[in-house]
Amino acid sequence: MHVRIVGCGLIGTSIGLALSRSGFRVSLSDPSPTSQAIARDMGAGEIDVTDAPEVVVVAAPPDVVVSVVRAELDRWPGAVVTDVASMKQQVLDELRSAGADLSRYVGSHPMAGRERSGAVAARADLFEGRTWVICPTQDDDPGAVAAVRTVAEATGAATTTMDAAEHDHAVAAVSHVPQIAASLVAVRLRELSDEAIGLSGQGIRDVTRIAESDPMLWTQILAGNAAAVAPVLDALLDDLGRVRQAVTDLAAGNEDGARQVLARVIADGQLGHARIPGKHGSAPTTYATLVVVVPDRPGELGRLFNDIGAAGVNMEDLRLEHGQGAPVGLAEVSVLPSVAERLRDELTAKGWSVHE
Amino acid sequence: MHVRIVGCGLIGTSIGLALSRSGFRVSLSDPSPTSQAIARDMGAGEIDVTDAPEVVVVAAPPDVVVSVVRAELDRWPGAVVTDVASMKQQVLDELRSAGADLSRYVGSHPMAGRERSGAVAARADLFEGRTWVICPTQDDDPGAVAAVRTVAEATGAATTTMDAAEHDHAVAAVSHVPQIAASLVAVRLRELSDEAIGLSGQGIRDVTRIAESDPMLWTQILAGNAAAVAPVLDALLDDLGRVRQAVTDLAAGNEDGARQVLARVIADGQLGHARIPGKHGSAPTTYATLVVVVPDRPGELGRLFNDIGAAGVNMEDLRLEHGQGAPVGLAEVSVLPSVAERLRDELTAKGWSVHE
């Protein structure tokens, strides 16, 4: 199958690398000759190809996706066209009102990305094991949907089907509003003294990690999904307003019901957090966690994981914590509960300091 | 030195374990005979001790700290008393207005904790490499401050000195408001369909990890530090209101200046995030990150870290990513930039698939 990729940024180039590795013929196009050449040199596909593709993947910036999809539908009358933008309803609406041939357009969205951008950050395995959402419409030719699914799965992604509005509301809550919250919490760090910022621990690091993301890309994503993001922000603002009122009341010595507001928010947050699926998209699993003290020098983690492997145990998750100024780190090793006790015993027998 | 610990929860018991290991004589007290016995059985110290301590560490829940500190100051007229609550100004103010002997009271706050609570979650190494803030006042006897510093450092913590108000404003921004934000983002996940929550990726996991925390404890912390938390929440609410207005405008097709509001927030968030110090409390370090594809079976991570150790390279940080439904994971290995290229070459030579 010949797949044409329009847009040689992180996502387009990664798709090209993955499809090329899977034996697809890939042609590349980007308005920037440099990006296009880098993607080709990385092995993502050929450039300057003029024969017709069977599938076109539009991986352009969100604010030009609609015009690029329209141009590709016009240029290749026999091709199926998909795009990979983070919002799906607006793209569909604009294509429909422009009179585009929707039987050959199937919107999609691979749930993958990195803090870095551009072809140079691309990886052939970017989609391996990720979810790639496909948003068919009633106008779609069934063969068109199947073709997009074939391309998505060839990158190693697992496909799932949703309608565009459902997709947009989901990503508003699990991706777009969390991005705003992370950025806003990080904004508050700008004015702190060096001493104050020095008290940062793992909590603030986790909450603000995605605040590193690209402002240009995120402005386009938030603008493109504004209709779905707005109601989630409304609810968040209401909740935050109630928390602020409760805290302000407490600061003024007025305690009536204020503590209950705070307790409810933290407790409801526990319930919401517990809904996030565990590894491999399965239902949430409660793993057992062993905490192992690891000297902070080369080879020690290797020795630890070697010992875990020798015990025949698979780590389900791992978190490393480094102390400030300390010569040790802590490895929080998550394993299936059924093997935790045996692993603790085996590691202890090999001299590791293990806590549960 | 004889240190008396009042409160055998996570923090008190961990302090007892750490001090006992360092050769201190530790006595324990808790209103719950069960907690007290568990802490003793874990090796955190003796119980039913009646002779006078030199230092008392009050590790009681935040809402009873003041009354416990007062009682301990009264009971042991020769002892220095410290507490470990997450807010310092309120405790100090209430002790002062109660006429407590402030020459022997030194507030402090070890920046350590876990999502779990209680004596059973205690660890002797909980404070190793963590910052322990000490908040002296002009009323303090210098020997009292030195005694608290000695105790804190004996747990493996690094001490730093701040005044109480400065401490409270710092933790409001780096700990208390991030907790509220994480919980509020997590609250929004409660109403999602299973399909929608299934699109959760690493971003939402990181942003909401601390939403697992205990509602009772956090209600007390937020109430106790309300005066410092309120202005940070005010600023957050203002920012969120402007973002909501921009998104609402965009959803209504009114684009005047709305994109600039969004771009500014994301860009300012990048700047705030960049201020968080790196490992070991040093100035932020930019590490080089290698991404290594790891088959999801026992021993593979061990083999990887063994190979990294054999290269003589120390991992500075590590993040594991698991794909949904995929048989591989990705290990993001952060190392000093000067060794990244050599490590990449050595791992590639050993058959690993490495990306930068």
Side-chain angles (χ1 to χ4, degrees):
Chain A
M1 190 191 279
H2 171 195
V3 177
R4 170 175 158 88
I5 294 171
V6 184
C8 296
L10 167 70
I11 300 293
T13 306
S14 294
I15 294 171
L17 290 170
L19 294 179
S20 297
R21 195 173 64 171
S22 296
F24 285 61
R25 180 175 168 225
V26 179
S27 59
L28 303 168
S29 172
D30 194 290
S32 155
T34 304
S35 295
Q36 195 176 258
I38 291 173
R40 180 206 43 206
D41 292 349
M42 290 175 74
E46 309 157 54
I47 63 176
D48 301 325
V49 173
T50 54
D51 59 305
E54 285 146 278
V55 174
V56 178
V57 179
V58 174
D63 60 352
V64 298
V65 160
V66 171
S67 62
V68 175
V69 168
R70 286 183 61 192
E72 295 293 314
L73 285 168
D74 289 348
R75 179 168 176 193
W76 315 105
V80 171
V81 178
T82 188
D83 74 301
V84 297
S86 301
M87 65 286 186
K88 303 270 56 100
Q89 189 69 51
Q90 188 187 60
V91 174
L92 184 62
D93 290 347
E94 294 186 9
L95 288 172
R96 180 170 281 133
S97 50
D101 178 2
L102 293 183
S103 70
R104 295 188 289 119
Y105 166 74
V106 183
S108 75
H109 180 205
M111 305 298 296
R114 310 186 65 188
E115 280 89 29
R116 273 168 291 174
S117 58
V120 289
R123 320 198 300 226
D125 54 22
L126 188 65
F127 310 101
E128 274 180 26
R130 304 292 185 168
T131 301
W132 190 317
V133 183
I134 298 176
C135 300
T137 69
Q138 62 221 30
D139 301 308
D140 276 324
D141 184 296
V145 178
V148 171
R149 185 174 290 121
T150 299
V151 169
E153 290 175 354
T155 66
T159 58
T160 188
T161 298
M162 288 184 167
D163 77 29
E166 193 186 356
H167 164 274
D168 287 1
H169 285 103
V171 294
V174 304
S175 171
H176 301 174
V177 168
Q179 176 66 50
I180 291 169
S183 292
L184 289 177
V185 169
V187 167
R188 302 265 63 79
L189 306 179
R190 287 191 65 193
E191 309 298 328
L192 294 185
S193 68
D194 288 348
E195 292 69 29
I197 199 85
L199 301 189
S200 297
Q202 194 56 43
I204 182 76
R205 285 187 173 80
D206 284 347
V207 171
T208 61
R209 183 182 62 84
I210 57 174
E212 281 184 277
S213 304
D214 177 35
M216 181 65 78
L217 173 65
W218 273 95
T219 300
Q220 295 179 29
I221 291 173
L222 295 171
N225 199 29
V229 170
V232 185
L233 282 183
D234 285 347
L236 184 66
L237 202 60
D238 285 351
D239 285 350
L240 184 60
R242 285 186 300 111
V243 170
R244 194 265 300 258
Q245 188 59 51
V247 169
T248 305
D249 286 350
L250 287 163
N254 173 10
E255 316 223 332
D256 290 350
R259 281 185 172 76
Q260 198 188 342
V261 171
L262 301 180
R264 172 55 51 205
V265 162
I266 306 286
D268 283 353
Q270 284 185 317
L271 295 174
H273 176 264
R275 293 206 59 215
I276 299 176
K279 182 184 172 185
H280 296 178
S282 59
T285 305
T286 305
Y287 297 118
T289 300
L290 301 179
V291 178
V292 187
V293 180
V294 183
D296 191 14
R297 56 176 183 257
E300 287 297 313
L301 267 175
R303 190 166 68 82
L304 171 63
F305 297 137
N306 222 36
D307 289 348
I308 294 172
V313 170
N314 194 20
M315 270 191 286
E316 303 296 333
D317 203 358
L318 173 66
R319 177 175 294 276
L320 275 189
E321 282 187 55
H322 287 294
Q324 285 197 323
V328 299
L330 300 175
E332 297 204 358
V333 179
S334 297
V335 299
L336 292 174
S338 55
V339 300
E341 193 174 335
R342 181 169 61 79
L343 180 60
R344 187 197 57 207
D345 293 346
E346 298 207 14
L347 290 179
T348 304
K350 287 183 172 167
W352 293 100
S353 173
V354 183
H355 308 265
E356 274 177 283
Chain B
M1 191 189 280
H2 171 195
V3 177
R4 170 175 158 88
I5 295 172
V6 184
C8 297
L10 167 69
I11 300 294
T13 307
S14 294
I15 294 171
L17 290 171
L19 293 179
S20 297
R21 196 171 64 170
S22 296
F24 284 62
R25 179 173 169 228
V26 179
S27 59
L28 303 168
S29 172
D30 194 290
S32 156
T34 305
S35 296
Q36 196 175 259
I38 291 173
R40 179 204 46 202
D41 292 350
M42 291 175 73
E46 309 160 54
I47 63 177
D48 301 325
V49 173
T50 54
D51 58 305
E54 285 146 278
V55 174
V56 178
V57 178
V58 174
D63 60 352
V64 298
V65 161
V66 170
S67 61
V68 176
V69 168
R70 286 184 60 193
E72 296 294 314
L73 284 168
D74 289 349
R75 181 170 175 191
W76 314 105
V80 171
V81 178
T82 188
D83 74 303
V84 297
S86 301
M87 64 288 184
K88 302 270 59 99
Q89 188 69 52
Q90 189 186 61
V91 174
L92 184 63
D93 290 347
E94 294 185 10
L95 288 172
R96 179 170 282 134
S97 50
D101 178 1
L102 293 182
S103 70
R104 293 187 291 119
Y105 166 75
V106 183
S108 74
H109 180 206
M111 305 299 296
R114 310 187 64 188
E115 280 89 29
R116 271 168 292 173
S117 58
V120 289
R123 319 196 301 226
D125 54 23
L126 189 65
F127 309 100
E128 275 180 25
R130 305 291 186 171
T131 301
W132 190 316
V133 183
I134 297 176
C135 299
T137 69
Q138 63 220 30
D139 302 309
D140 276 324
D141 183 299
V145 178
V148 172
R149 184 174 290 121
T150 298
V151 169
E153 290 176 355
T155 67
T159 57
T160 187
T161 298
M162 287 184 166
D163 77 30
E166 191 186 358
H167 164 275
D168 287 1
H169 284 102
V171 294
V174 304
S175 171
H176 301 174
V177 168
Q179 176 66 50
I180 292 169
S183 293
L184 289 177
V185 168
V187 168
R188 302 265 64 79
L189 305 179
R190 288 191 65 193
E191 309 298 327
L192 293 185
S193 68
D194 288 349
E195 291 70 29
I197 198 85
L199 301 189
S200 298
Q202 194 56 45
I204 182 76
R205 285 187 173 80
D206 284 347
V207 171
T208 62
R209 182 181 63 82
I210 59 175
E212 278 184 280
S213 303
D214 177 35
M216 182 65 78
L217 173 65
W218 273 95
T219 300
Q220 295 178 29
I221 291 173
L222 295 172
N225 200 30
V229 169
V232 185
L233 282 183
D234 285 346
L236 183 66
L237 201 61
D238 285 352
D239 285 350
L240 184 60
R242 286 186 298 111
V243 170
R244 193 267 298 262
Q245 188 59 52
V247 169
T248 305
D249 286 350
L250 286 163
N254 173 10
E255 317 222 331
D256 290 350
R259 281 185 173 77
Q260 199 190 339
V261 171
L262 302 180
R264 171 56 49 207
V265 162
I266 307 285
D268 283 353
Q270 285 185 316
L271 295 175
H273 176 265
R275 293 206 59 215
I276 300 176
K279 180 182 176 186
H280 295 177
S282 59
T285 305
T286 304
Y287 296 120
T289 300
L290 300 179
V291 178
V292 186
V293 179
V294 183
D296 191 15
R297 57 176 182 259
E300 287 297 313
L301 266 175
R303 190 166 67 82
L304 171 63
F305 297 136
N306 223 37
D307 289 347
I308 294 172
V313 170
N314 194 22
M315 271 190 286
E316 303 296 333
D317 202 358
L318 173 66
R319 178 174 294 276
L320 275 189
E321 281 188 55
H322 287 294
Q324 285 198 325
V328 299
L330 300 176
E332 298 203 357
V333 179
S334 297
V335 298
L336 292 175
S338 55
V339 299
E341 192 175 337
R342 181 170 62 79
L343 180 61
R344 187 197 59 206
D345 293 346
E346 297 206 17
L347 291 178
T348 303
K350 287 183 172 168
W352 294 100
S353 173
V354 183
H355 308 265
E356 274 177 282

